[in-house]
């Protein structure tokens, strides 16, 4: 086959077209890369776009929780501290009540049910009521009048004849007891403490004190 060579002008034209196509392809490729670089978000924007949304507290009915609801959540440590404080206050209150009961028990004296106890109890009542008298004065007159018998009754003197016999430790007649009875004691003539205090009250009004009585009065 005989060799065939394109004319020079034709070769130049062919090369030029090839170059233009190649340049066009390169230009298109560059534009695509530029477009990709331009459209791709930066790292900070991508991280922000994919970050999880903040979760807001909700109430039991599914609605956003109010600010007041959020304040009700208290740290466990605060709750424990409150519990310890309440327990300490309760123990202190219980201890104070126990101390008060102990004081009240001490304030109530236990007097023996005998002449000594009756005189001592009468003296405490007399002191509270402002009635003068001493242990010696009461005991001396009791032994003379009744020998210490709270149920002693005089059935022979003028009072007995008049129907109002003297009775009790200090031989008191009923009208005198009724007039000089000391409040807080039994309203009974032969009650030991009531008899002593009424007699001491009568003697204080008439003689200044039971201590000044040395005979029948």
């Amino acid at each position: 086959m005989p060799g065939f060579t394109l004319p020079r002008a034709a070769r130049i034209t062919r090369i030029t077209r090839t170059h233009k196509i190649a340049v066009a392809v390169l230009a298109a490729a560059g534009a695509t890369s530029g477009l990709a670089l331009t459209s791709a978000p930066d790292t900070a924007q991508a991280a922000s776009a994919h970050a999880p949304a903040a979760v807001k507290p909700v109430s039991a009915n599914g609605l956003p929780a109010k600010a007041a609801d959020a304040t009700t959540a208290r740290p466990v440590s605060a709750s424990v501290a409150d519990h310890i404080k309440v327990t300490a206050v309760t123990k202190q209150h219980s201890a104070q009540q126990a101390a008060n009961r102990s004081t009240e028990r001490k304030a109530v004296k236990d007097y023996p049910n005998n002449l000594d106890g009756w005189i001592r109890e009468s003296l405490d009542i007399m002191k509270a009521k402002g009635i003068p008298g001493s242990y010696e004065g009461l005991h001396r007159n009791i032994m003379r009048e009744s020998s210490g018998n709270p149920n002693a009754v005089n059935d022979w003197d003028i009072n007995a004849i008049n129907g109002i016999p003297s009775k009790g430790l200090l031989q008191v007649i009923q009208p005198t007891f009724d007039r000089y009875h000391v409040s807080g004691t039994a309203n009974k003539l032969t009650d030991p403490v009531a008899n002593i205090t009424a007699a001491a009250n009568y003697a204080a009004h008439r003689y200044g004190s039971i201590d000044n009585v040395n005979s029948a009065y």
Side-chain angles (χ1 to χ4, degrees), residues 92-114:
Q92 183 178 5
H93 181 65
S94 298
Q96 184 62 44
Q97 286 182 325
N100 292 340
R101 287 193 296 270
S102 178
T103 302
E104 290 172 0
R105 285 194 295 269
K106 291 179 180 178
V108 179
K109 291 184 178 180
D110 186 15
Y111 302 97
N113 188 29
N114 55 32

Side-chain angles (χ1 to χ4, degrees), residues 126 155 163 171:
M126 289 163 59
D155 56 3
Q171 292 293 284

Side-chain angles (χ1 to χ4, degrees), residues 20-116:
K20 286 182 178 180
I21 292 171
V23 170
V25 171
L26 291 175
T32 303
S33 300
L35 180 61
L37 291 174
T38 302
S39 62
D42 57 22
T43 304
Q45 289 176 336
S48 176
H50 291 83
V55 178
K56 296 183 179 180
V58 296
S59 61
N61 57 11
L63 297 176
K66 296 181 180 179
D69 296 335
T71 59
T72 59
R74 304 175 63 188
V76 174
S77 58
S79 298
V80 173
D82 289 344
H83 177 70
I84 294 174
K85 185 182 296 183
V86 170
T87 302
V89 171
T90 301
K91 288 183 178 179
Q92 183 178 5
H93 181 65
S94 298
Q96 184 62 44
Q97 286 182 325
N100 292 340
R101 287 193 296 270
S102 178
T103 302
E104 290 172 0
R105 285 194 295 269
K106 291 179 180 178
V108 179
K109 291 184 178 180
D110 186 15
Y111 302 97
N113 188 29
N114 55 32
L115 182 58
D116 178 71

Side-chain angles (χ1 to χ4, degrees), residues 119-167:
I119 293 175
R120 293 186 184 282
E121 184 175 356
S122 296
L123 285 171
D124 285 342
I125 295 173
M126 289 163 59
K127 182 179 180 180
K129 300 293 184 178
I131 301 171
S134 66
Y135 187 101
E136 186 278 330
L138 291 174
H139 187 269
R140 170 169 43 84
N141 281 284
I142 288 171
M143 295 309 294
R144 185 190 68 250
E145 293 292 329
S146 66
S147 299
N149 179 9
N151 296 312
V153 177
N154 185 329
D155 56 3
W156 55 267
D157 66 1
I158 187 62
N159 291 319
I161 294 172
N162 291 332
I164 49 173
S166 302
K167 297 180 180 180

